[in-house]
mmCIF file with all atom_site columns, all heavy atoms in Angstrom:
data_model
loop_
_atom_site.group_PDB
_atom_site.id
_atom_site.type_symbol
_atom_site.label_atom_id
_atom_site.label_alt_id
_atom_site.label_comp_id
_atom_site.label_asym_id
_atom_site.label_entity_id
_atom_site.label_seq_id
_atom_site.pdbx_PDB_ins_code
_atom_site.Cartn_x
_atom_site.Cartn_y
_atom_site.Cartn_z
_atom_site.occupancy
_atom_site.B_iso_or_equiv
_atom_site.pdbx_formal_charge
_atom_site.auth_seq_id
_atom_site.auth_comp_id
_atom_site.auth_asym_id
_atom_site.auth_atom_id
_atom_site.pdbx_PDB_model_num
ATOM 1   N N   . HIS A 1 51  ? -13.663 -23.065 8.094   1.00 0.00 ? 185 HIS A N   1
ATOM 2   C CA  . HIS A 1 51  ? -12.972 -23.276 6.820   1.00 0.00 ? 185 HIS A CA  1
ATOM 3   C C   . HIS A 1 51  ? -13.964 -23.331 5.667   1.00 0.00 ? 185 HIS A C   1
ATOM 4   O O   . HIS A 1 51  ? -13.676 -22.867 4.581   1.00 0.00 ? 185 HIS A O   1
ATOM 5   C CB  . HIS A 1 51  ? -12.155 -24.565 6.875   1.00 0.00 ? 185 HIS A CB  1
ATOM 6   C CG  . HIS A 1 51  ? -11.035 -24.493 7.862   1.00 0.00 ? 185 HIS A CG  1
ATOM 7   N ND1 . HIS A 1 51  ? -11.120 -25.020 9.128   1.00 0.00 ? 185 HIS A ND1 1
ATOM 8   C CD2 . HIS A 1 51  ? -9.806  -23.926 7.781   1.00 0.00 ? 185 HIS A CD2 1
ATOM 9   C CE1 . HIS A 1 51  ? -9.986  -24.798 9.777   1.00 0.00 ? 185 HIS A CE1 1
ATOM 10  N NE2 . HIS A 1 51  ? -9.181  -24.124 8.991   1.00 0.00 ? 185 HIS A NE2 1
ATOM 11  N N   . LEU A 1 121 ? -12.906 -27.396 0.789   1.00 0.00 ? 255 LEU A N   1
ATOM 12  C CA  . LEU A 1 121 ? -11.858 -27.286 1.811   1.00 0.00 ? 255 LEU A CA  1
ATOM 13  C C   . LEU A 1 121 ? -10.475 -27.255 1.175   1.00 0.00 ? 255 LEU A C   1
ATOM 14  O O   . LEU A 1 121 ? -9.582  -26.528 1.617   1.00 0.00 ? 255 LEU A O   1
ATOM 15  C CB  . LEU A 1 121 ? -11.951 -28.453 2.797   1.00 0.00 ? 255 LEU A CB  1
ATOM 16  C CG  . LEU A 1 121 ? -13.123 -28.336 3.777   1.00 0.00 ? 255 LEU A CG  1
ATOM 17  C CD1 . LEU A 1 121 ? -13.341 -29.656 4.498   1.00 0.00 ? 255 LEU A CD1 1
ATOM 18  C CD2 . LEU A 1 121 ? -12.864 -27.207 4.775   1.00 0.00 ? 255 LEU A CD2 1
ATOM 19  N N   . LYS A 1 179 ? 2.851   10.105  0.238   1.00 0.00 ? 313 LYS A N   1
ATOM 20  C CA  . LYS A 1 179 ? 1.752   10.152  1.204   1.00 0.00 ? 313 LYS A CA  1
ATOM 21  C C   . LYS A 1 179 ? 0.399   9.998   0.509   1.00 0.00 ? 313 LYS A C   1
ATOM 22  O O   . LYS A 1 179 ? -0.499  9.340   1.019   1.00 0.00 ? 313 LYS A O   1
ATOM 23  C CB  . LYS A 1 179 ? 1.805   11.467  2.006   1.00 0.00 ? 313 LYS A CB  1
ATOM 24  C CG  . LYS A 1 179 ? 3.074   11.552  2.884   1.00 0.00 ? 313 LYS A CG  1
ATOM 25  C CD  . LYS A 1 179 ? 3.077   12.759  3.787   1.00 0.00 ? 313 LYS A CD  1
ATOM 26  C CE  . LYS A 1 179 ? 3.254   14.059  3.016   1.00 0.00 ? 313 LYS A CE  1
ATOM 27  N NZ  . LYS A 1 179 ? 4.569   14.167  2.337   1.00 0.00 ? 313 LYS A NZ  1
ATOM 28  N N   . VAL A 1 181 ? -0.045  8.437   -2.382  1.00 0.00 ? 315 VAL A N   1
ATOM 29  C CA  . VAL A 1 181 ? -0.081  7.038   -2.832  1.00 0.00 ? 315 VAL A CA  1
ATOM 30  C C   . VAL A 1 181 ? -0.559  6.159   -1.672  1.00 0.00 ? 315 VAL A C   1
ATOM 31  O O   . VAL A 1 181 ? -1.361  5.246   -1.846  1.00 0.00 ? 315 VAL A O   1
ATOM 32  C CB  . VAL A 1 181 ? 1.332   6.589   -3.288  1.00 0.00 ? 315 VAL A CB  1
ATOM 33  C CG1 . VAL A 1 181 ? 1.332   5.122   -3.670  1.00 0.00 ? 315 VAL A CG1 1
ATOM 34  C CG2 . VAL A 1 181 ? 1.830   7.446   -4.439  1.00 0.00 ? 315 VAL A CG2 1
ATOM 35  N N   . GLN A 1 189 ? -7.428  -0.841  -0.368  1.00 0.00 ? 323 GLN A N   1
ATOM 36  C CA  . GLN A 1 189 ? -7.231  -2.104  0.330   1.00 0.00 ? 323 GLN A CA  1
ATOM 37  C C   . GLN A 1 189 ? -8.430  -2.433  1.227   1.00 0.00 ? 323 GLN A C   1
ATOM 38  O O   . GLN A 1 189 ? -8.623  -3.560  1.618   1.00 0.00 ? 323 GLN A O   1
ATOM 39  C CB  . GLN A 1 189 ? -5.942  -2.023  1.164   1.00 0.00 ? 323 GLN A CB  1
ATOM 40  C CG  . GLN A 1 189 ? -5.588  -3.266  1.950   1.00 0.00 ? 323 GLN A CG  1
ATOM 41  C CD  . GLN A 1 189 ? -5.213  -4.429  1.053   1.00 0.00 ? 323 GLN A CD  1
ATOM 42  O OE1 . GLN A 1 189 ? -4.832  -4.235  -0.098  1.00 0.00 ? 323 GLN A OE1 1
ATOM 43  N NE2 . GLN A 1 189 ? -5.342  -5.639  1.551   1.00 0.00 ? 323 GLN A NE2 1
ATOM 44  N N   . ILE A 1 198 ? -12.170 10.845  -1.647  1.00 0.00 ? 332 ILE A N   1
ATOM 45  C CA  . ILE A 1 198 ? -12.149 12.282  -1.903  1.00 0.00 ? 332 ILE A CA  1
ATOM 46  C C   . ILE A 1 198 ? -10.918 12.890  -1.227  1.00 0.00 ? 332 ILE A C   1
ATOM 47  O O   . ILE A 1 198 ? -10.749 12.769  -0.016  1.00 0.00 ? 332 ILE A O   1
ATOM 48  C CB  . ILE A 1 198 ? -13.429 12.964  -1.355  1.00 0.00 ? 332 ILE A CB  1
ATOM 49  C CG1 . ILE A 1 198 ? -14.687 12.312  -1.939  1.00 0.00 ? 332 ILE A CG1 1
ATOM 50  C CG2 . ILE A 1 198 ? -13.403 14.466  -1.644  1.00 0.00 ? 332 ILE A CG2 1
ATOM 51  C CD1 . ILE A 1 198 ? -14.907 12.531  -3.422  1.00 0.00 ? 332 ILE A CD1 1
ATOM 52  N N   . ALA A 1 204 ? -3.649  23.934  -0.652  1.00 0.00 ? 338 ALA A N   1
ATOM 53  C CA  . ALA A 1 204 ? -3.775  24.525  -1.983  1.00 0.00 ? 338 ALA A CA  1
ATOM 54  C C   . ALA A 1 204 ? -5.006  25.413  -2.117  1.00 0.00 ? 338 ALA A C   1
ATOM 55  O O   . ALA A 1 204 ? -5.156  26.110  -3.108  1.00 0.00 ? 338 ALA A O   1
ATOM 56  C CB  . ALA A 1 204 ? -3.820  23.422  -3.038  1.00 0.00 ? 338 ALA A CB  1
ATOM 57  N N   . THR A 1 223 ? -21.108 35.844  -1.121  1.00 0.00 ? 357 THR A N   1
ATOM 58  C CA  . THR A 1 223 ? -21.123 36.377  -2.474  1.00 0.00 ? 357 THR A CA  1
ATOM 59  C C   . THR A 1 223 ? -20.555 35.336  -3.429  1.00 0.00 ? 357 THR A C   1
ATOM 60  O O   . THR A 1 223 ? -19.475 34.806  -3.172  1.00 0.00 ? 357 THR A O   1
ATOM 61  C CB  . THR A 1 223 ? -20.243 37.652  -2.564  1.00 0.00 ? 357 THR A CB  1
ATOM 62  O OG1 . THR A 1 223 ? -20.288 38.286  -1.308  1.00 0.00 ? 357 THR A OG1 1
ATOM 63  C CG2 . THR A 1 223 ? -20.691 38.546  -3.678  1.00 0.00 ? 357 THR A CG2 1
ATOM 64  N N   . ALA A 1 236 ? -17.756 12.332  0.224   1.00 0.00 ? 370 ALA A N   1
ATOM 65  C CA  . ALA A 1 236 ? -17.011 11.147  0.688   1.00 0.00 ? 370 ALA A CA  1
ATOM 66  C C   . ALA A 1 236 ? -17.902 10.183  1.469   1.00 0.00 ? 370 ALA A C   1
ATOM 67  O O   . ALA A 1 236 ? -17.422 9.164   1.958   1.00 0.00 ? 370 ALA A O   1
ATOM 68  C CB  . ALA A 1 236 ? -15.830 11.577  1.549   1.00 0.00 ? 370 ALA A CB  1
ATOM 69  N N   . LEU A 1 251 ? -6.750  27.549  12.281  1.00 0.00 ? 385 LEU A N   1
ATOM 70  C CA  . LEU A 1 251 ? -7.169  27.104  13.619  1.00 0.00 ? 385 LEU A CA  1
ATOM 71  C C   . LEU A 1 251 ? -8.687  27.092  13.759  1.00 0.00 ? 385 LEU A C   1
ATOM 72  O O   . LEU A 1 251 ? -9.267  26.187  14.348  1.00 0.00 ? 385 LEU A O   1
ATOM 73  C CB  . LEU A 1 251 ? -6.552  28.008  14.686  1.00 0.00 ? 385 LEU A CB  1
ATOM 74  C CG  . LEU A 1 251 ? -5.129  27.595  15.095  1.00 0.00 ? 385 LEU A CG  1
ATOM 75  C CD1 . LEU A 1 251 ? -4.494  28.663  15.962  1.00 0.00 ? 385 LEU A CD1 1
ATOM 76  C CD2 . LEU A 1 251 ? -5.135  26.244  15.816  1.00 0.00 ? 385 LEU A CD2 1
ATOM 77  N N   . LYS A 1 256 ? -13.936 23.300  13.765  1.00 0.00 ? 390 LYS A N   1
ATOM 78  C CA  . LYS A 1 256 ? -15.096 22.692  13.088  1.00 0.00 ? 390 LYS A CA  1
ATOM 79  C C   . LYS A 1 256 ? -14.781 21.269  12.652  1.00 0.00 ? 390 LYS A C   1
ATOM 80  O O   . LYS A 1 256 ? -15.631 20.387  12.697  1.00 0.00 ? 390 LYS A O   1
ATOM 81  C CB  . LYS A 1 256 ? -15.501 23.536  11.892  1.00 0.00 ? 390 LYS A CB  1
ATOM 82  C CG  . LYS A 1 256 ? -16.061 24.868  12.343  1.00 0.00 ? 390 LYS A CG  1
ATOM 83  C CD  . LYS A 1 256 ? -16.587 25.708  11.217  1.00 0.00 ? 390 LYS A CD  1
ATOM 84  C CE  . LYS A 1 256 ? -17.203 26.977  11.812  1.00 0.00 ? 390 LYS A CE  1
ATOM 85  N NZ  . LYS A 1 256 ? -17.302 28.056  10.857  1.00 0.00 ? 390 LYS A NZ  1
ATOM 86  N N   . SER A 1 271 ? -25.854 27.240  6.556   1.00 0.00 ? 405 SER A N   1
ATOM 87  C CA  . SER A 1 271 ? -27.000 26.408  6.928   1.00 0.00 ? 405 SER A CA  1
ATOM 88  C C   . SER A 1 271 ? -26.944 26.120  8.418   1.00 0.00 ? 405 SER A C   1
ATOM 89  O O   . SER A 1 271 ? -25.878 26.146  9.026   1.00 0.00 ? 405 SER A O   1
ATOM 90  C CB  . SER A 1 271 ? -26.964 25.090  6.149   1.00 0.00 ? 405 SER A CB  1
ATOM 91  O OG  . SER A 1 271 ? -27.824 24.143  6.746   1.00 0.00 ? 405 SER A OG  1
ATOM 92  N N   . HIS A 1 307 ? -4.683  11.242  15.229  1.00 0.00 ? 441 HIS A N   1
ATOM 93  C CA  . HIS A 1 307 ? -3.453  10.457  15.268  1.00 0.00 ? 441 HIS A CA  1
ATOM 94  C C   . HIS A 1 307 ? -3.732  9.098   15.888  1.00 0.00 ? 441 HIS A C   1
ATOM 95  O O   . HIS A 1 307 ? -3.214  8.760   16.942  1.00 0.00 ? 441 HIS A O   1
ATOM 96  C CB  . HIS A 1 307 ? -2.400  11.216  16.087  1.00 0.00 ? 441 HIS A CB  1
ATOM 97  C CG  . HIS A 1 307 ? -1.003  10.766  15.826  1.00 0.00 ? 441 HIS A CG  1
ATOM 98  N ND1 . HIS A 1 307 ? -0.358  9.855   16.612  1.00 0.00 ? 441 HIS A ND1 1
ATOM 99  C CD2 . HIS A 1 307 ? -0.135  11.084  14.838  1.00 0.00 ? 441 HIS A CD2 1
ATOM 100 C CE1 . HIS A 1 307 ? 0.851   9.654   16.134  1.00 0.00 ? 441 HIS A CE1 1
ATOM 101 N NE2 . HIS A 1 307 ? 1.012   10.388  15.058  1.00 0.00 ? 441 HIS A NE2 1
ATOM 102 N N   . LEU A 1 316 ? 13.476  8.503   0.859   1.00 0.00 ? 450 LEU A N   1
ATOM 103 C CA  . LEU A 1 316 ? 14.058  7.601   -0.135  1.00 0.00 ? 450 LEU A CA  1
ATOM 104 C C   . LEU A 1 316 ? 15.496  7.211   0.221   1.00 0.00 ? 450 LEU A C   1
ATOM 105 O O   . LEU A 1 316 ? 15.917  6.080   0.004   1.00 0.00 ? 450 LEU A O   1
ATOM 106 C CB  . LEU A 1 316 ? 14.003  8.265   -1.513  1.00 0.00 ? 450 LEU A CB  1
ATOM 107 C CG  . LEU A 1 316 ? 14.354  7.389   -2.707  1.00 0.00 ? 450 LEU A CG  1
ATOM 108 C CD1 . LEU A 1 316 ? 13.520  6.121   -2.730  1.00 0.00 ? 450 LEU A CD1 1
ATOM 109 C CD2 . LEU A 1 316 ? 14.167  8.164   -4.001  1.00 0.00 ? 450 LEU A CD2 1
ATOM 110 N N   . ASP A 1 382 ? 23.719  7.178   -19.443 1.00 0.00 ? 516 ASP A N   1
ATOM 111 C CA  . ASP A 1 382 ? 25.078  7.421   -18.965 1.00 0.00 ? 516 ASP A CA  1
ATOM 112 C C   . ASP A 1 382 ? 25.062  8.522   -17.916 1.00 0.00 ? 516 ASP A C   1
ATOM 113 O O   . ASP A 1 382 ? 24.168  9.374   -17.917 1.00 0.00 ? 516 ASP A O   1
ATOM 114 C CB  . ASP A 1 382 ? 25.965  7.821   -20.148 1.00 0.00 ? 516 ASP A CB  1
ATOM 115 C CG  . ASP A 1 382 ? 26.146  6.639   -21.092 1.00 0.00 ? 516 ASP A CG  1
ATOM 116 O OD1 . ASP A 1 382 ? 26.279  5.509   -20.590 1.00 0.00 ? 516 ASP A OD1 1
ATOM 117 O OD2 . ASP A 1 382 ? 26.103  6.850   -22.324 1.00 0.00 ? 516 ASP A OD2 1
ATOM 118 N N   . LEU A 1 386 ? 22.631  12.793  -16.577 1.00 0.00 ? 520 LEU A N   1
ATOM 119 C CA  . LEU A 1 386 ? 21.871  13.191  -15.387 1.00 0.00 ? 520 LEU A CA  1
ATOM 120 C C   . LEU A 1 386 ? 21.882  14.707  -15.238 1.00 0.00 ? 520 LEU A C   1
ATOM 121 O O   . LEU A 1 386 ? 22.906  15.348  -15.432 1.00 0.00 ? 520 LEU A O   1
ATOM 122 C CB  . LEU A 1 386 ? 22.461  12.546  -14.132 1.00 0.00 ? 520 LEU A CB  1
ATOM 123 C CG  . LEU A 1 386 ? 22.343  11.026  -14.062 1.00 0.00 ? 520 LEU A CG  1
ATOM 124 C CD1 . LEU A 1 386 ? 23.101  10.484  -12.847 1.00 0.00 ? 520 LEU A CD1 1
ATOM 125 C CD2 . LEU A 1 386 ? 20.880  10.597  -14.016 1.00 0.00 ? 520 LEU A CD2 1
ATOM 126 N N   . SER A 1 391 ? 24.383  15.771  -11.569 1.00 0.00 ? 525 SER A N   1
ATOM 127 C CA  . SER A 1 391 ? 25.549  15.834  -12.442 1.00 0.00 ? 525 SER A CA  1
ATOM 128 C C   . SER A 1 391 ? 26.737  16.442  -11.695 1.00 0.00 ? 525 SER A C   1
ATOM 129 O O   . SER A 1 391 ? 27.881  16.200  -12.031 1.00 0.00 ? 525 SER A O   1
ATOM 130 C CB  . SER A 1 391 ? 25.219  16.655  -13.681 1.00 0.00 ? 525 SER A CB  1
ATOM 131 O OG  . SER A 1 391 ? 24.704  17.906  -13.287 1.00 0.00 ? 525 SER A OG  1
ATOM 132 N N   . PRO A 1 405 ? 46.824  7.017   -14.839 1.00 0.00 ? 539 PRO A N   1
ATOM 133 C CA  . PRO A 1 405 ? 46.404  8.229   -14.114 1.00 0.00 ? 539 PRO A CA  1
ATOM 134 C C   . PRO A 1 405 ? 44.908  8.466   -14.300 1.00 0.00 ? 539 PRO A C   1
ATOM 135 O O   . PRO A 1 405 ? 44.364  8.192   -15.359 1.00 0.00 ? 539 PRO A O   1
ATOM 136 C CB  . PRO A 1 405 ? 47.223  9.343   -14.759 1.00 0.00 ? 539 PRO A CB  1
ATOM 137 C CG  . PRO A 1 405 ? 47.715  8.777   -16.055 1.00 0.00 ? 539 PRO A CG  1
ATOM 138 C CD  . PRO A 1 405 ? 47.764  7.300   -15.920 1.00 0.00 ? 539 PRO A CD  1
ATOM 139 N N   . THR A 1 412 ? 32.922  21.690  -12.197 1.00 0.00 ? 546 THR A N   1
ATOM 140 C CA  . THR A 1 412 ? 31.741  22.521  -11.998 1.00 0.00 ? 546 THR A CA  1
ATOM 141 C C   . THR A 1 412 ? 31.829  22.933  -10.544 1.00 0.00 ? 546 THR A C   1
ATOM 142 O O   . THR A 1 412 ? 32.769  22.574  -9.851  1.00 0.00 ? 546 THR A O   1
ATOM 143 C CB  . THR A 1 412 ? 30.457  21.707  -12.224 1.00 0.00 ? 546 THR A CB  1
ATOM 144 O OG1 . THR A 1 412 ? 30.589  20.495  -11.496 1.00 0.00 ? 546 THR A OG1 1
ATOM 145 C CG2 . THR A 1 412 ? 30.223  21.408  -13.686 1.00 0.00 ? 546 THR A CG2 1
ATOM 146 N N   . ALA A 1 413 ? 30.812  23.671  -10.100 1.00 0.00 ? 547 ALA A N   1
ATOM 147 C CA  . ALA A 1 413 ? 30.794  24.058  -8.696  1.00 0.00 ? 547 ALA A CA  1
ATOM 148 C C   . ALA A 1 413 ? 30.896  22.799  -7.850  1.00 0.00 ? 547 ALA A C   1
ATOM 149 O O   . ALA A 1 413 ? 30.170  21.848  -8.076  1.00 0.00 ? 547 ALA A O   1
ATOM 150 C CB  . ALA A 1 413 ? 29.500  24.786  -8.380  1.00 0.00 ? 547 ALA A CB  1
ATOM 151 N N   . HIS A 1 441 ? 34.597  -8.089  -11.726 1.00 0.00 ? 575 HIS A N   1
ATOM 152 C CA  . HIS A 1 441 ? 35.633  -8.825  -12.448 1.00 0.00 ? 575 HIS A CA  1
ATOM 153 C C   . HIS A 1 441 ? 35.487  -10.330 -12.205 1.00 0.00 ? 575 HIS A C   1
ATOM 154 O O   . HIS A 1 441 ? 35.780  -11.142 -13.087 1.00 0.00 ? 575 HIS A O   1
ATOM 155 C CB  . HIS A 1 441 ? 37.007  -8.335  -11.979 1.00 0.00 ? 575 HIS A CB  1
ATOM 156 C CG  . HIS A 1 441 ? 38.161  -9.054  -12.623 1.00 0.00 ? 575 HIS A CG  1
ATOM 157 N ND1 . HIS A 1 441 ? 38.589  -8.766  -13.907 1.00 0.00 ? 575 HIS A ND1 1
ATOM 158 C CD2 . HIS A 1 441 ? 38.961  -10.056 -12.172 1.00 0.00 ? 575 HIS A CD2 1
ATOM 159 C CE1 . HIS A 1 441 ? 39.602  -9.571  -14.215 1.00 0.00 ? 575 HIS A CE1 1
ATOM 160 N NE2 . HIS A 1 441 ? 39.848  -10.353 -13.181 1.00 0.00 ? 575 HIS A NE2 1
ATOM 161 N N   . ASP A 1 443 ? 32.734  -11.860 -11.702 1.00 0.00 ? 577 ASP A N   1
ATOM 162 C CA  . ASP A 1 443 ? 31.355  -12.239 -12.006 1.00 0.00 ? 577 ASP A CA  1
ATOM 163 C C   . ASP A 1 443 ? 30.522  -12.443 -10.749 1.00 0.00 ? 577 ASP A C   1
ATOM 164 O O   . ASP A 1 443 ? 29.724  -13.377 -10.666 1.00 0.00 ? 577 ASP A O   1
ATOM 165 C CB  . ASP A 1 443 ? 31.309  -13.517 -12.858 1.00 0.00 ? 577 ASP A CB  1
ATOM 166 C CG  . ASP A 1 443 ? 31.809  -13.256 -14.258 1.00 0.00 ? 577 ASP A CG  1
ATOM 167 O OD1 . ASP A 1 443 ? 31.468  -12.192 -14.820 1.00 0.00 ? 577 ASP A OD1 1
ATOM 168 O OD2 . ASP A 1 443 ? 32.569  -14.084 -14.773 1.00 0.00 ? 577 ASP A OD2 1
ATOM 169 N N   . ALA A 1 451 ? 39.800  -12.714 -2.392  1.00 0.00 ? 585 ALA A N   1
ATOM 170 C CA  . ALA A 1 451 ? 41.159  -13.234 -2.542  1.00 0.00 ? 585 ALA A CA  1
ATOM 171 C C   . ALA A 1 451 ? 42.013  -12.259 -3.343  1.00 0.00 ? 585 ALA A C   1
ATOM 172 O O   . ALA A 1 451 ? 43.155  -11.957 -2.980  1.00 0.00 ? 585 ALA A O   1
ATOM 173 C CB  . ALA A 1 451 ? 41.124  -14.598 -3.221  1.00 0.00 ? 585 ALA A CB  1
ATOM 174 N N   . LEU A 1 453 ? 41.596  -9.096  -3.597  1.00 0.00 ? 587 LEU A N   1
ATOM 175 C CA  . LEU A 1 453 ? 41.813  -7.872  -2.819  1.00 0.00 ? 587 LEU A CA  1
ATOM 176 C C   . LEU A 1 453 ? 42.631  -8.136  -1.555  1.00 0.00 ? 587 LEU A C   1
ATOM 177 O O   . LEU A 1 453 ? 42.924  -7.208  -0.799  1.00 0.00 ? 587 LEU A O   1
ATOM 178 C CB  . LEU A 1 453 ? 40.453  -7.256  -2.425  1.00 0.00 ? 587 LEU A CB  1
ATOM 179 C CG  . LEU A 1 453 ? 39.618  -6.692  -3.579  1.00 0.00 ? 587 LEU A CG  1
ATOM 180 C CD1 . LEU A 1 453 ? 38.177  -6.458  -3.130  1.00 0.00 ? 587 LEU A CD1 1
ATOM 181 C CD2 . LEU A 1 453 ? 40.203  -5.397  -4.107  1.00 0.00 ? 587 LEU A CD2 1
ATOM 182 N N   . GLY A 1 470 ? 22.454  1.648   3.801   1.00 0.00 ? 604 GLY A N   1
ATOM 183 C CA  . GLY A 1 470 ? 22.525  3.100   3.733   1.00 0.00 ? 604 GLY A CA  1
ATOM 184 C C   . GLY A 1 470 ? 23.616  3.740   4.573   1.00 0.00 ? 604 GLY A C   1
ATOM 185 O O   . GLY A 1 470 ? 23.630  4.950   4.735   1.00 0.00 ? 604 GLY A O   1
#
Side-chain angles (χ1 to χ4, degrees):
H185 294 99
L255 286 167
K313 295 186 290 295
V315 176
Q323 180 67 22
I332 304 292
T357 329
L385 275 170
K390 292 185 176 159
S405 164
H441 199 264
L450 190 54
D516 292 321
L520 294 174
S525 53
T546 48
H575 178 78
D577 290 319
L587 292 165

